[in-house]
Amino acid sequence: MTTGGYDPNKNPDEGKQPPQDPYSRPQTPPPGSYPPPVTPPPGGGFQPPAGPPPGNYPPPPGNYPPPGGNYPPPQGNYPPPGGNPPPPGNYPPPGGYPPPPQGGNFPPPPANNYGAGFGPQLSVGAALTYGWERFKNNALVWIGVTLAAVVISGLIQLVFGSASSPGEISALALIGSLVSAIVGFLIQAAFIRGALHEVDGNKPVFGSFVQLTNVGAIVLASVIISIASGIGLVLCVIPGLVVIFLTYYTLTFVVDQNQDAISGIKSSFALTSKNVGPLLLLALALIGINIVGAILLLVGLLVTLPISLIASTYAYRVLTGRFVAAI
């Protein structure tokens, strides 16, 4: 019998669960002791466990494209997927491309030597037409300069020729011949300078003809040519004519390209010897028109001489591949 609800014979720990070890593994039920499956209550369907209803979940954080959408194509030209990769090997480093082919579609540079390979072929008719058109557009200046040259040469002959008796060789006569020759050389160079102005597209005025910078080379080259051609004419005419033909452009090279006397002679020889055919035809044509000019009481020479000079200078520029102004 107990007093006050206390039983001294009862174990105080009876009915209590033993303390659990927090580090012990959970005990699994023995095989065959699983709880029975949950059966739906009578009169109703199966009730899922409590939890959020399916669907309509909030989107995850971040900007992600919707599933199954149309994505933009990748940027750049990528090879198609798949294919066979190149076999392994020793490939050259990048950038080792072969040099471009020489030439291409670029025009060849102009020739810097005289002879074969010059620019357009020389046409005698084109040269004569060019000389006439240029002279026609500046005829008064050319006629005036030609008359001035004739007057200057006549005055020199008059001054030194009257100082000596006919047939007498004196020091004054020698000086007069020397001065007359030098003035003649300079007059010839002045005419060449005027013709170069014409083929450059500039109408020369009286002052343009005396724009000579290398007078020494002009005189020296003229003296050498005069001696050589004189010897040739005395010996057998034809050698003298050949020398005159081959050295015809000596002063043109000296005046136009500022060459010295020897270089001018060499350049003229190279140019004429490699273009004998067209230059010989041009020379015969110029001789012919000057004969016609002389027949016309010498007045025609005031026209034919400038035309001849401009035409021959045009031929020089064409055969050397240098600039020629349009008519």
Side-chain angles (χ1 to χ4, degrees):
M1 187 172 183
T2 61
T3 304
Y6 172 73
D7 188 359
N9 297 323
K10 187 177 180 179
N11 187 359
D13 295 328
E14 185 179 356
K16 295 182 180 180
Q17 294 293 335
Q20 297 292 333
D21 185 1
Y23 300 102
S24 63
R25 298 179 61 184
Q27 299 294 327
T28 57
S33 62
Y34 295 101
V38 179
T39 57
F46 177 75
Q47 298 293 328
N56 298 327
Y57 294 102
N63 296 323
Y64 299 97
N70 296 324
Y71 299 99
Q75 299 295 326
N77 297 323
Y78 297 96
N84 297 322
N90 297 323
Y91 298 100
Y97 301 102
Q102 297 294 328
N105 295 324
F106 300 98
N112 55 5
N113 57 344
Y114 308 112
F118 289 148
Q121 295 295 321
L122 175 63
S123 169
V124 174
L128 294 176
T129 301
Y130 191 91
W132 164 248
E133 292 294 333
R134 281 292 174 181
F135 168 79
K136 182 181 65 174
N137 295 331
N138 200 21
L140 292 179
V141 172
W142 278 102
I143 293 174
V145 171
T146 304
L147 288 174
V150 172
V151 170
I152 292 173
S153 298
L155 289 175
I156 294 175
Q157 291 292 337
L158 181 62
V159 169
F160 290 97
S162 60
S164 60
S165 302
E168 180 184 357
I169 300 177
S170 62
L172 188 59
L174 292 176
I175 294 174
S177 299
L178 181 60
V179 171
S180 178
I182 294 176
V183 171
F185 300 153
L186 296 179
I187 289 176
Q188 185 180 357
F191 275 101
I192 293 174
R193 171 56 70 192
L196 289 170
H197 278 294
E198 291 287 359
V199 296
D200 284 336
N202 305 319
K203 284 186 178 182
V205 296
F206 287 98
S208 304
F209 288 82
V210 294
Q211 294 175 346
L212 303 175
T213 57
N214 48 353
V215 175
I218 292 171
V219 173
L220 180 59
S222 300
V223 170
I224 295 174
I225 294 171
S226 299
I227 295 174
S229 59
I231 294 174
L233 291 173
V234 169
L235 293 178
C236 186
V237 180
I238 294 178
L241 295 177
V242 171
V243 172
I244 294 173
F245 176 80
L246 294 177
T247 59
Y248 178 79
Y249 285 112
T250 298
L251 291 187
T252 308
F253 278 101
V254 172
V255 175
D256 186 35
Q257 302 187 30
N258 200 28
Q259 294 186 2
D260 59 80
I262 302 302
S263 298
I265 294 173
K266 291 180 178 179
S267 298
S268 177
F269 182 86
L271 177 63
T272 53
S273 62
K274 294 176 182 177
N275 296 279
V276 173
L279 288 179
L280 185 58
L281 292 177
L282 178 61
L284 294 175
L286 296 180
I287 291 172
I289 66 171
N290 283 287
I291 291 175
V292 173
I295 292 174
L296 298 175
L297 303 177
L298 300 179
V299 178
L301 293 176
L302 297 176
V303 176
T304 59
L305 285 176
I307 292 175
S308 300
L309 189 57
I310 297 173
S312 62
T313 305
Y314 165 87
Y316 153 79
R317 282 289 182 87
V318 169
L319 293 178
T320 55
R322 298 172 71 86
F323 175 77
V324 176
I327 298 176

